[in-house]
């Protein structure tokens, strides 16, 4: 049957009479049916990617692409005067992640399936996701994100497992999301849930009774854990996730007729950060129940499990009080204590290597490192810092376990889907080989001196800016000029990512324009990102940006030259709209603190030039494109680590020594912003910058402003800039998540 006829069967009425939502729903049915008809991928061994987050983004467009029917559906719609964009708008985006870590998990699932490797994701079905961000009075408010309302791609499998939480038994339910390989077969993302969860207990934004586990377990991702009940809930969630994963794995292995005493021949488990670490004792517990000894179970599990570290920030390395674990998962305590004792015996009681510390806290990452066979960082620099700084005691005893896997992104979503015009033009220039081997993008360098090609690329960028400008007008009510320079920083709000430094630059530029020094080309500074609900300083930074947006966009002297946009509720969909439109990609974390970054890769692929520190994967971008095609500023990670070790950084010195720093920092509490914003929030920011500045904004700000000026100056030499842009796209092939997954498979999983 032709696709057109097949679709007509789902739609049950002529396209010309159907509403966008009817078309969307029929397409979901079509995709689900097509996908169900694809065989499940089978390998000699299966990888389970366990993760608290899967930031999968909208599914419809991506699935149509991977099924190979996007273009045909698009033509069918266009023939009836309907835009695919309007149909895709009907889908609600699952908000099952914070940022990079969750999006990485989603890119990995896409690549695992595309490389025809058998691998499923295991996570949780959070009813309200992270939260939905709203702005009122230039402040962030959180409300439930009702992504499950309306039709979606989830399937209720009817599969249940029993999970014991604090001595009571709960019955889980497994929902599946198909993961379709590009022109290939399928794997699955399994999301577990409890039938008893009660959405009506949420009130006043995202508040709810944190003690009623039956009702609250899977309401939100990362419930506020600033109190004991919040922390207990995190442990409940984590155990619920891995208890289901462990039962699913053993069930599938038994169905395949495999001997679980040789589980490591058939199964690989990737532990995505420490949230799923309890899989180690839980899987051991189940093996022991099957009659395997503790020692043998530990060996099997170590050979199965591999751990990925995604951050060096101490506050993100989970340490749970043993007493909390005793309350929630008493069944695991003898095993965790056994593992701690084994580590104690193996290393003569070395406290650096102890799983349970002298305050009776269980260090999840330490358990992972002792009882898995691989420990990896997510960019070359990050892995070196793990080996020689943060995890040095473990590197000293387990050097051969350490390896690097530089992150990647799926080009199917972040080029083919989000930037179809560029994607088609690349096909036209170099053929479609890059879709299966991204290194082919280097063939674009043939056009380095072809003015026609370069100009066409500039035109595509301009179209993308028009598209982004439309979205900004529609969603934020702000008019932006597609002829301006799009300078973009979109990511979670965190002091280490230093959105505050960019905001200080905005103040610097505002003051320059006020004094008559106008930029040669107008500049649009775009921000987007959520702050954790309890993270005061991140919320203060959002407040500052929203105040600047108000001040600058309404000042007739300045607005023609400088605009500020803070996107509301930044998510994957908005990234797809803004990334292709970007000229300057802001990757300005304090060196050593951003483990990798993956937004940096998405921007580069779409022809933006990076303005960044020598941090995370920026270092690898620099090595690929060369210094002529990137703007690097600021102190190096060695210098920063040196300053932390020597306690040698005092931000007040920078504040008092430099008149221009003094001026921009004082602007935070000056008359212009005080007339608009909350003086306490802005005052707290200023005070923090002068007297604390843990992430060293004032250390790098002068170098940042100087290098940013250079970038803006270079933009005026369009002949030069368009070549920089071409080189960035051409060199992005290394950052395909297909490459990353090949490396995980060769070095860690060994699936064939
Ligand atoms: C989590 C939290 C949670 C509570 C508030 C403080 C805080 C600070 C940091 C984190 C990070 C958790 C781990 C994470 O998301 N890491 C990110 O992983 C990406 C994929 O590997 C990587 O590209 C980013 O650089 C890294 O920050």
């Amino acid at each position: 049957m032709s696709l057109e006829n097949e679709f007509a069967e789902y739609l049950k009425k002529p396209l010309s009479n159907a509403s966008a939502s009817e078309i969307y729903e029929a397409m979901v049915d079509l995709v689900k049916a097509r996908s169900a008809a694809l065989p499940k991928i089978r390998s000699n061994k299966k990888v389970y990617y366990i993760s608290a987050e899967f930031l999968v983004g909208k599914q419809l467009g991506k699935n149509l692409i991977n099924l190979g029917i996007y273009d045909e559906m698009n033509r069918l719609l266009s023939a009836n005067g309907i835009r695919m964009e309007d149909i895709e708008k009907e889908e609600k985006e699952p908000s099952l992640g914070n940022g990079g870590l969750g999006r990485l998990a989603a890119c990995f699932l896409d690549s695992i399936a595309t490389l025809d490797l058998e691998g499923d994701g295991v996570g949780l079905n959070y009813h309200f996701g992270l939260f939905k961000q709203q702005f009122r009075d230039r402040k962030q408010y959180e409300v439930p994100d009702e992504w499950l309302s309306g039709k979606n791609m989830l399937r209720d499998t009817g599969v249940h497992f029993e999970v014991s939480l604090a001595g009571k038994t709960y019955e889980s339910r497994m929902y599946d999301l198909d993961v379709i390989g590009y022109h290939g077969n399928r794997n699955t993302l399994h999301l577990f849930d409890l039938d008893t969860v009660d959405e009506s207990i949420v009130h006043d934004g995202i508040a709810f009774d944190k003690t009623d586990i039956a009702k609250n377990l899977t309401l939100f991702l990362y419930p506020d854990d600033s109190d004991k009940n919040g922390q207990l809930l995190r442990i409940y969630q984590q155990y619920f996730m891995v208890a289901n994963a462990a039962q699913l794995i053993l069930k599938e292995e038994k169905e395949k007729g495999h001997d679980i005493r040789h589980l490591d021949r058939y199964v690989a488990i990737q532990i995505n950060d420490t949230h799923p670490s309890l899989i180690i004792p839980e899987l051991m517990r189940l093996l022991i129940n099957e009659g395997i000894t503790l020692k043998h179970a530990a060996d099997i599990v170590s050979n199965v499990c591999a751990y990925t570290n995604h951050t060096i920030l101490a506050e993100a390395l989970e340490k749970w009080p043993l007493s909390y674990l005793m309350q929630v998962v008493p069944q695991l305590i003898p095993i965790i204590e056994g593992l701690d004792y084994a580590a104690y015996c193996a290393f003569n009681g070395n406290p650096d290597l102890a799983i349970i510390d002298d305050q009776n806290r269980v260090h999840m990452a330490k358990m992972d490192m002792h009882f898995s066979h691989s420990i990896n960082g997510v960019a070359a620099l990050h892995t070196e810092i793990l080996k020689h700084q943060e995890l040095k005691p473990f590197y000293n005893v387990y050097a051969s376990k350490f390896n690097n896997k530089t992150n990647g992104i799926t080009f199917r979503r972040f080029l083919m889907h989000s930037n179809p015009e560029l994607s088609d033009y690349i096909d036209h220039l170099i053929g479609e080989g890059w879709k299966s081997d991204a290194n082919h993008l280097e063939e674009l360098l043939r056009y380095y001196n072809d003015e026609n090609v370069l100009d066409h690329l500039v035109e595509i960028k301009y179209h993308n800016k028009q598209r982004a400008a439309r979205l900004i007008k529609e969603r934020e009510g702000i008019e932006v000029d597609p002829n301006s320079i799009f300078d973009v920083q979109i990511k979670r709000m965190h002091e280490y990512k230093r959105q505050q430094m960019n905001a200080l630059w905005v103040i610097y530029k505002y003051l320059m324009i006020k004094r008559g020094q106008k930029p040669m080309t107008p500049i649009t500074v775009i921000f987007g990102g959520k702050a954790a609900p309890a993270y005061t300083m991140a919320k203060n930074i959002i407040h500052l940006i929203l105040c600047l947006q108000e001040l600058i966009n309404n000042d007739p002297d300045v607005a023609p030259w400088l605009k500020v946009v803070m996107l509301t509720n930044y998510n994957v969909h908005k990234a797809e709209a803004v990334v292709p439109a970007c000229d300057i990609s802001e990757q300005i974390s304090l060196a050593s603190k951003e483990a990798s970054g993956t937004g940096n890769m998405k921007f580069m692929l779409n022809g933006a030039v990076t303005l960044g520190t020598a941090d995370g994967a920026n270092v690898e971008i620099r090595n690929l494109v060369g210094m002529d095609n990137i703007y690097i500023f600021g102190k190096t990670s060695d210098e920063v680590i040196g300053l932390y070790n020597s306690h040698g950084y005092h931000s007040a010195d920078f504040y008092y020594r430099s008149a221009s720093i003094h001026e921009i920092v004082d602007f935070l509490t000056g008359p212009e912003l005080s007339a608009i914003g909350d003086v306490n929030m802005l005052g707290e920011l200023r005070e923090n910058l002068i007297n604390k500045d843990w992430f060293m904004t004032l250390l790098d700000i002068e170098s940042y402003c100087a290098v940013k000026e250079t970038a803006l100056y270079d933009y005026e030499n369009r002949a030069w800039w368009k070549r920089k842009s071409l080189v960035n796209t051409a060199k992005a092939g290394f950052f395909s998540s297909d490459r990353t997954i090949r490396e995980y498979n060769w070095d860690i999983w060994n699936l064939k």
Side-chain angles (χ1 to χ4, degrees), residues 100-101 104 273 310 313 315-316 378 407 494 496 594-598:
L101 173 130
L104 185 77
D273 223 271
H310 292 268
L313 291 180
E315 69 266 32
V378 290
N407 282 167
H494 201 293
Y496 86 79
E594 188 70 271
S596 161
T598 45

Side-chain angles (χ1 to χ4, degrees), residues 49 53 98-105 108 222 225 234 272-275 308-317 377-379 382 405 407-408 492-494 496-497 532 535 589 593-601 615-617 744:
Y49 197 86
E53 306 185 23
N98 271 286
L101 173 130
R103 184 54 233 177
L104 185 77
F108 280 5
Y222 285 110
D225 65 353
R234 288 281 300 277
N272 195 31
D273 223 271
T274 53
H275 321 123
T308 305
N309 175 290
H310 292 268
T311 185
I312 64 161
L313 291 180
E315 69 266 32
L317 291 178
V378 290
H382 171 59
K405 295 287 167 283
N407 282 167
R492 278 304 294 266
M493 301 301 299
H494 201 293
Y496 86 79
K497 294 177 184 283
Y535 189 172
S589 53
K593 295 295 180 188
E594 188 70 271
S596 161
T598 45
N600 47 3
M601 302 168 186
D615 200 13
Y744 272 90

